[in-house]
Amino acid sequence: MKKNMLLELFLTFLKIGAFTFGGGYAMIALIAKEAVEKRKWITEPEFIDLIAIAESTPGPIAVNSATYLGYKLKGFFGAFFATLGVVLPSFVVIVIISFFIEEFRSLEYVNYAFTGISAAVAVLIINAALKLYKSLEKSWFSIILIIIAFLLLIFNVIPTPYIILSGGLIGFISYMIAKKKTVDHI
Amino acid sequence: MSVLLRLFWAFLKIGILTFGGGYAMIPLIQEEAIANGWMTSSSLSLVDYIAISESTPGPFAINIATFIGMNEAGILGAIMATLGVVLPSFIILMFVARFFARFSSNLMVKSVMKGIRPVVVGILLAVMVTFAIKAIFNVNVLDFTFALFDYKALIIFTIIFVLSRLVKKLSPVLLIIIAAGLGIILYGLF
């Protein structure tokens, strides 16, 4: 029984890894279908909590979901096999592609195609930004942070890791201030 | 440090700092690429890596880590880079699953994320602007030499943007395929 469950976790996440493109949000729908509807591993509210956790922790959402769900169901080995499953299709496909991509990329018409794609990548990024923006609480606090981060990056003022960590630090400071206020009121 | 360890270390840092989906990794990868001299021996540019990682199955973050690792140091490089980008997730999520039953409703976690999410939006917008300018004007933002204005790239950018806003169901893969087709038509036939 235990072995079967590990195999099932591995195969389910292998399928999730193999059939979603781009990862992240596209993957969420497939995880819901597999883990909630089909296999009844978790309930709908548990799934919503899972996504909230995967989004509030660092790292790819797909890997976060796999590790968390795997661990909840079958401990360390559950986490290990679920994560291995979600990573493996990517790994194999990319390794195979990388053997012939440079030759393929240097073909004339492929080059035209990639020049076209490079204009579209900017669109993909702005759509990701808009999606994330929609999930934000609309406040001056958010708007100001967006503008500051934008300017810091575009003028290359400080390296990106420090910009991200500063965002977290500012969030933490706002928490301490809010906490102090509630303590003062008591 | 050996190439393999540097790949592992770079992607470990990237894994720890990636919030809100794979694209937030792009500026981090860009900075690590400069620091480590990645992509100098390859004819592929960062945009190529992004396009291929987005249009192959699996999480974007894993694809691009495997891809860069593979091109810089072969199969071992691919393993080390992928391991690096996965390991922080793996450890942190097991820790959260074990010890924090109410992690996502924790007020401190929520507050920290309230600071990080807008910052990531700002970062994505900045990356978008630099990529758009680079594609359309063929220059880096800070050069200010807009000598090579590429109206075809502007046309493709506009079409893809409008299309993606009008037809919400179009997946990134489909948008990439359409853009590739437009590229072949505009650059190849005219």
Side-chain angles (χ1 to χ4, degrees):
Chain A
M1 176 63 204
K2 198 187 171 211
K3 245 187 184 161
N4 283 345
M5 184 64 185
L6 288 180
L7 186 66
E8 203 180 325
L9 264 170
F10 174 72
L11 291 177
T12 304
F13 275 97
L14 192 76
K15 189 170 149 192
I16 291 167
F19 290 103
T20 43
F21 287 83
Y25 295 95
M27 218 158 244
I28 291 174
L30 193 58
I31 297 175
K33 202 176 137 208
E34 288 290 331
V36 182
E37 283 173 41
K38 219 166 132 190
R39 301 178 193 276
K40 314 248 184 272
W41 282 338
I42 47 172
T43 60
E44 184 74 44
E46 282 173 323
F47 177 74
I48 292 167
D49 197 41
L50 163 77
I51 299 305
I53 289 167
E55 285 178 340
S56 334
T57 40
I61 290 168
V63 177
N64 292 353
S65 314
T67 305
Y68 186 84
L69 192 59
Y71 191 86
K72 279 285 177 194
L73 294 173
K74 277 280 157 231
F76 174 82
F77 286 104
F80 180 81
F81 282 107
T83 308
L84 188 67
V86 85
V87 168
L88 213 53
S90 287
F91 189 83
V92 173
V93 170
I94 293 288
V95 166
I96 293 169
I97 285 178
S98 66
F99 282 118
F100 57 82
I101 189 68
E102 298 230 12
E103 250 175 85
F104 178 70
R105 178 70 181 81
S106 60
L107 299 172
E108 192 190 353
Y109 277 86
V110 175
N111 189 36
Y112 296 144
F114 271 90
T115 313
I117 290 171
S118 68
V121 165
V123 177
L124 298 182
I125 297 168
I126 193 176
N127 286 341
L130 290 174
K131 205 170 219 166
L132 194 59
Y133 176 75
K134 270 190 199 152
S135 73
L136 291 182
E137 190 184 302
K138 307 293 176 296
S139 62
W140 280 110
F141 180 74
S142 302
I143 307 277
I144 289 167
L145 282 183
I146 292 173
I147 295 170
I148 293 174
F150 176 82
L151 293 175
L152 286 177
L153 194 80
I154 212 145
F155 292 109
N156 219 345
V157 184
I158 49 173
T160 315
Y162 298 109
I163 305 179
I164 297 170
L165 292 175
S166 307
L169 188 66
I170 290 167
F172 181 72
I173 291 168
S174 78
Y175 164 75
M176 293 307 279
I177 293 170
K179 201 177 158 195
K180 193 167 180 300
K181 266 188 195 156
T182 49
V183 170
D184 287 346
H185 278 293
I186 302 163
Chain B
M1 246 195 294
S2 79
V3 182
L4 293 177
L5 272 179
R6 279 169 62 170
L7 272 167
F8 175 74
W9 178 237
F11 275 99
L12 191 78
K13 283 190 279 179
I14 292 170
I16 291 172
L17 290 164
T18 300
F19 288 90
Y23 288 141
M25 296 169 75
I26 294 168
L28 299 167
I29 291 177
Q30 232 164 354
E31 284 161 25
E32 289 294 339
I34 294 166
N36 293 293
W38 296 340
M39 298 176 206
T40 45
S41 57
S42 160
S43 61
L44 298 173
S45 69
L46 184 60
V47 178
D48 296 331
Y49 280 96
I50 294 170
I52 293 162
S53 301
E54 181 64 75
S55 44
T56 42
F60 174 83
I62 306 298
N63 292 347
I64 199 159
T66 306
F67 208 174
I68 292 174
M70 187 73 194
N71 270 10
E72 295 306 319
I75 190 93
L76 284 178
I79 291 173
M80 290 307 264
T82 308
L83 202 61
V85 86
V86 169
L87 212 54
S89 287
F90 190 67
I91 293 168
I92 291 167
L93 267 294
M94 275 204 294
F95 194 75
V96 170
R98 178 82 180 80
F99 297 108
F100 297 99
R102 304 236 152 272
F103 183 81
S104 59
S105 52
N106 178 290
L107 203 58
M108 193 182 92
V109 173
K110 273 188 166 174
S111 305
V112 170
M113 289 314 294
K114 249 184 223 171
I116 289 180
R117 285 212 179 95
V119 163
V120 172
V121 172
I123 287 173
L124 288 175
L125 290 175
V127 171
M128 185 280 289
V129 168
T130 49
F131 273 58
I133 290 178
K134 207 171 174 184
I136 295 165
F137 297 101
N138 290 306
V139 286
N140 286 314
V141 187
L142 295 178
D143 273 358
F144 290 112
T145 44
F146 299 144
L148 288 159
F149 176 68
D150 182 351
Y151 71 94
K152 290 170 182 171
L154 183 61
I155 291 172
I156 295 171
F157 175 82
T158 313
I159 291 176
I160 297 296
F161 181 72
V162 172
L163 213 53
S164 75
R165 291 279 104 198
L166 288 180
V167 193
K168 299 268 175 180
K169 283 251 153 78
L170 283 180
S171 68
V173 190
L174 267 177
L175 290 174
I176 286 177
I177 293 170
I178 296 168
L182 288 171
I184 291 172
I185 295 168
L186 286 173
Y187 294 99
L189 303 182
F190 292 98

